Amino acid sequence: MEIFNHNIIIIGAGSIGTALGNTLAKKRGLDIKLLSIEKDVVKSINETRNNSKYFPNIKLAKYLKATSDVEVLKEADIVFLAIPSNVTVDYTLSVKEYFRDDAILLNMAKGFSKGHYTITESLSQELPNPVCSFKGPTFARELINKLPTAFTIGSVHIEHDGIFNEIFYNTPIHVDFTSDVKGVELLSILKNIYAIGMGIVDAHFNSANLRFLFLTKAFNEMKDILLKYGGREDTLFKYCGYGDFGLTALNDLSRNRTLGLLIGKGFFTNDISDKVVLEGKNAVSVFCDEFAKSKSRSCHYPIMTELYKVFNGNYDVSNFVNEVINS
């Protein structure tokens, strides 16, 4: 099955944007471009078929092109937003005049926007475009090496299911679909938080029993928060839920799990926090602020509560596991 006339722009030529673009550029009928502000990366991709900054040892697809010219957005049918969560909304709105009203936007960033809104909520308030979520258990280095990879597409437009099944057909990317856009966004944030907790546990104990005790508590706490803020329980069992949580909490390539390991071993400092984008750490404060506003009893969410204490004051991290288990 071949497809035609899909002009796809991926905003961001970092690791995940490049991996996604490289995967799709190998398929006939798709016009794929990476839009990046990193001019050295654009030059490297176009002149050497190599992203020297993010994948220096990978030869990229022949038809993958990169540009710094936002004018390319005018022809886009589909736009993937593959830039950090803290700049996604501001950047996207800064180029909104270039979007066609029917262009489909898919957010790949995992974090909150300003005002404690999800990124899709913030963009939907400002744009006429359909704004979707695209999240799953994915490490870019595995995707670019053609290993099977999964994503959930969150969209209220049922016709998008067919469009994206067609686009990803016969590629290493496998997708499932839900209309629960907010649930997909929330789970992509929550899994980072609980991955930090898993890292702290594993830093202190090499125990399979304890690991899966904690994972079960974490998964249930994620469910309760998901439902409290308007997501659906069935979304937990999409790729963006159980799959992405497992990948992030249990694999040492995960930045947020690594943050937990650093905390648990006593190597975490404010200097590390300031220099590394850590969506989970920032999201803990957002959720706890929301709990305070709604007067939710913190004992409902013991893991979240203990992580908030870890990041806000002097905390004896050796007590983390006991506090969570005995709460």
Side-chain angles (χ1 to χ4, degrees):
M1 178 171 67
E2 297 297 342
I3 59 177
F4 302 94
N5 301 323
H6 282 302
N7 191 321
I8 298 174
I9 303 297
I10 300 170
I11 299 179
S15 56
I16 191 62
T18 300
L20 176 63
N22 190 63
T23 299
L24 293 177
K26 294 179 180 179
K27 186 166 182 175
R28 291 178 58 193
L30 297 177
D31 183 7
I32 310 295
K33 290 187 180 70
L34 303 178
L35 175 61
S36 175
I37 63 172
E38 297 181 284
K39 294 187 177 181
D40 56 331
V41 170
V42 170
K43 182 177 180 181
S44 177
I45 292 171
N46 290 336
E47 295 183 0
T48 68
R49 287 178 54 195
N50 176 269
N51 188 329
S52 57
K53 185 172 182 178
Y54 296 98
F55 292 110
N57 299 316
I58 300 289
K59 200 70 173 177
L60 299 176
K62 179 179 179 181
Y63 296 107
L64 178 64
K65 302 300 180 184
T67 182
S68 296
D69 184 2
V70 296
E71 293 279 341
V72 298
L73 292 170
K74 292 180 177 180
E75 303 301 322
D77 303 306
I78 296 166
V79 179
F80 288 91
L81 307 176
I83 51 180
S85 59
N86 61 323
V87 299
T88 299
V89 172
D90 287 345
Y91 178 83
T92 303
L93 295 181
S94 76
V95 297
K96 67 180 181 179
E97 65 187 274
Y98 298 98
F99 296 134
R100 291 172 13 203
D101 286 351
D102 61 346
I104 303 169
L105 309 185
L106 294 99
N107 172 45
M108 299 181 71
K110 300 173 179 180
F112 283 109
S113 68
K114 296 175 183 177
H116 297 186
Y117 291 106
T118 66
I119 290 171
T120 54
E121 285 174 328
S122 291
L123 292 176
S124 294
Q125 290 169 8
E126 299 289 339
L127 299 171
N129 305 79
V131 181
C132 310
S133 191
F134 188 66
K135 314 286 177 67
T138 304
F139 287 132
R141 70 170 67 178
E142 296 198 2
L143 177 57
I144 205 163
N145 283 308
K146 306 176 186 177
L147 293 170
T149 298
F151 289 93
T152 294
I153 297 169
S155 173
V156 297
H157 302 275
I158 192 65
E159 67 271 17
H160 290 171
D161 190 10
I163 292 171
F164 288 104
N165 274 317
E166 182 183 60
I167 286 172
F168 292 116
Y169 176 76
N170 203 29
T171 75
I173 294 176
H174 303 264
V175 295
D176 59 17
F177 188 89
T178 179
S179 60
D180 182 19
V181 181
K182 185 164 188 178
V184 178
E185 291 285 300
L186 287 172
L187 286 172
S188 74
I189 299 167
L190 288 166
K191 59 95 180 183
N192 284 331
I193 292 172
Y194 292 95
I196 297 172
M198 188 73 258
I200 294 173
V201 172
D202 281 346
H204 280 273
F205 300 93
N206 182 23
S207 166
N209 289 2
L210 179 57
R211 178 176 299 123
F212 288 95
L213 181 160
F214 180 87
L215 282 173
T216 303
K217 282 183 169 291
F219 195 67
N220 277 289
E221 196 167 301
M222 287 173 59
K223 178 199 71 176
D224 291 343
I225 296 172
L226 174 70
L227 297 178
K228 175 179 175 63
Y229 289 102
R232 299 203 311 256
E233 186 169 348
D234 63 297
T235 310
L236 277 165
F237 302 98
K238 298 292 185 179
Y239 292 131
C240 65
Y242 180 78
D244 206 2
F245 173 50
L247 176 106
T248 309
L250 297 175
N251 194 296
D252 287 346
L253 289 175
S254 160
R255 291 177 301 169
N256 286 283
R257 172 180 166 81
T258 300
L259 171 57
L261 291 169
L262 287 168
I263 293 170
K265 294 293 186 184
F267 296 121
F268 178 73
T269 66
N270 288 332
D271 186 55
I272 292 174
S273 175
D274 291 341
K275 291 182 179 178
V276 182
V277 176
L278 299 164
E279 298 94 338
K281 174 182 179 293
N282 298 329
V284 167
S285 292
V286 173
F287 276 114
C288 287
D289 286 348
E290 289 297 313
F291 299 158
K293 289 177 186 177
S294 62
K295 298 182 180 179
S296 295
R297 288 185 299 166
S298 61
C299 61
H300 287 175
Y301 315 111
I303 300 172
M304 185 82 75
T305 300
E306 293 306 307
L307 284 170
Y308 184 81
K309 294 176 185 176
V310 168
F311 292 125
N312 292 275
N314 295 322
Y315 182 88
D316 184 355
V317 76
S318 64
N319 291 329
F320 179 83
V321 174
N322 285 335
E323 292 292 334
V324 168
I325 292 175
N326 295 323
S327 61

